[in-house]
Structures are given as structure tokens and as C-alpha cells.
Amino acid sequence: MKKIFISQPMRGKTSEEIRAEREKAVEVVKAFVHDEVKVLDSYFDDFDGNPLECLAKSIALLAKADIAYFAKGWKDARGCRIEHIYAEEYAIDRIEE
């Protein structure tokens, strides 16, 4: 079983849109790895801190991932770009939509 981290732009999206995009990401990764996956859930819908605290929590989860999936638009979102840098620097496999 592969542990996956999903990086996605969230600004301006509803919870339903975010969750739908995450479900799509899981299906893409499953097809890619031909195995079951465990999502390291980095969507904190009840988080009440500042964006940097949220990013710090996300990076802690990224450190546990076998694969990081970067959803469409990741290059335009500061947090996603930072997560991508860490994934690259620490040799975490990546899938980019």
C-alpha cells in the first residue's frame, strides 16, 4: 500500500469541489501504482490557524508520503509550489496533473 499526499490549490473552492478533486487524485494514483493507497489527509477543513501553520502541518504529512500528487493549478499556488520543492529535494515520487 502506497501513502499518498495530495497538493492542490484550495483558494476560492468549496469543500465539495476540494473533496471531488481529491477523489479524482486518488483514482489517478491508484491507476498509476496498480495498488491500494492510503491518503495522508492534508485537507484541514476545521483548521483555524494562519496559512503558514497549515503549510507546516502539510509538510509534516508530506514527509511520510511515498507519492505526492500535484493537482491542476499547483504552479499558481504558493503553498503547492513550496510542497513541490520539498518533494523534489527529498526525492518523493511525484505525479503532476
Side-chain angles (χ1 to χ4, degrees):
M1 179 176 295
K2 298 287 186 182
K3 294 177 283 186
I4 67 166
F5 176 87
I6 301 169
S7 180
Q8 68 186 129
M10 295 184 195
R11 181 173 289 162
K13 295 181 182 177
T14 66
S15 292
E16 292 77 23
E17 291 170 324
I18 292 167
R19 291 185 194 288
E21 194 170 70
R22 295 177 80 73
E23 288 174 17
K24 177 185 170 192
V26 169
E27 294 308 313
V28 169
V29 174
K30 279 183 183 179
F32 183 77
V33 299
H34 305 291
D35 197 358
E36 289 300 310
V37 299
K38 177 183 180 195
V39 177
L40 301 171
D41 197 1
S42 59
Y43 176 48
F44 313 116
D45 56 356
D46 62 346
F47 188 73
D48 193 25
N50 70 46
L52 186 55
E53 289 175 308
C54 187
L55 180 59
K57 287 179 71 168
S58 290
I59 290 170
L61 290 171
L62 175 61
K64 299 175 183 180
D66 297 308
I67 299 170
Y69 177 91
F70 291 86
K72 184 177 180 179
W74 72 267
K75 291 180 182 180
D76 300 320
R78 177 180 53 197
C80 294
R81 290 192 312 268
I82 293 167
E83 291 164 347
H84 192 273
I85 290 167
Y86 279 102
E88 261 186 331
E89 291 292 321
Y90 288 90
I92 296 168
D93 288 335
R94 295 168 309 285
I95 297 172
E96 300 170 11
E97 184 175 3

